Amino acid sequence: MRAFFWGDNAAKIYFEPAEADMDIQWGMVQKFLTPYPIDYTTTMELSCGHGRNSERLADLSQNMILVDVNPEKHLIL
């Protein structure tokens, strides 16, 4: 939600640094979730932003619902 208020600076301030560390972050998430049986057939992602998590979830899911408060960001997988 904070990126919504950053306007034109959101990419520089938030998205670029977050995307640069995505492999590390996703590795930590997967390590945490691996012991649990999760059905990713239909996945909803809230605050999908630029889609850095959506790209990885798309490999696990057959159907995705992506939701973001910022109407200017559109993601097509």
Side-chain angles (χ1 to χ4, degrees):
M1 175 91 172
R2 291 179 65 187
F4 183 74
F5 298 105
W6 291 333
D8 294 340
N9 294 325
K12 263 297 183 227
I13 296 170
Y14 177 77
F15 290 110
E16 288 178 13
E19 290 168 6
D21 293 331
M22 193 59 212
D23 289 335
I24 294 167
Q25 295 171 22
W26 189 254
M28 293 178 355
V29 168
Q30 285 299 87
K31 184 177 179 181
F32 175 78
L33 294 178
T34 297
Y36 306 100
I38 299 172
D39 180 0
Y40 291 97
T41 303
T42 298
T43 301
M44 174 183 268
E45 183 180 1
L46 303 175
S47 299
C48 59
H50 286 193
R52 64 183 176 276
N53 285 302
S54 306
E55 290 179 21
R56 287 167 172 80
L57 290 169
D59 291 336
L60 303 170
S61 178
Q62 293 176 12
N63 306 295
M64 292 187 62
I65 302 164
L66 307 174
V67 179
D68 199 296
V69 67
N70 191 343
E72 295 177 13
K73 303 299 179 206
H74 300 281
L75 175 68
I76 300 173
L77 297 175

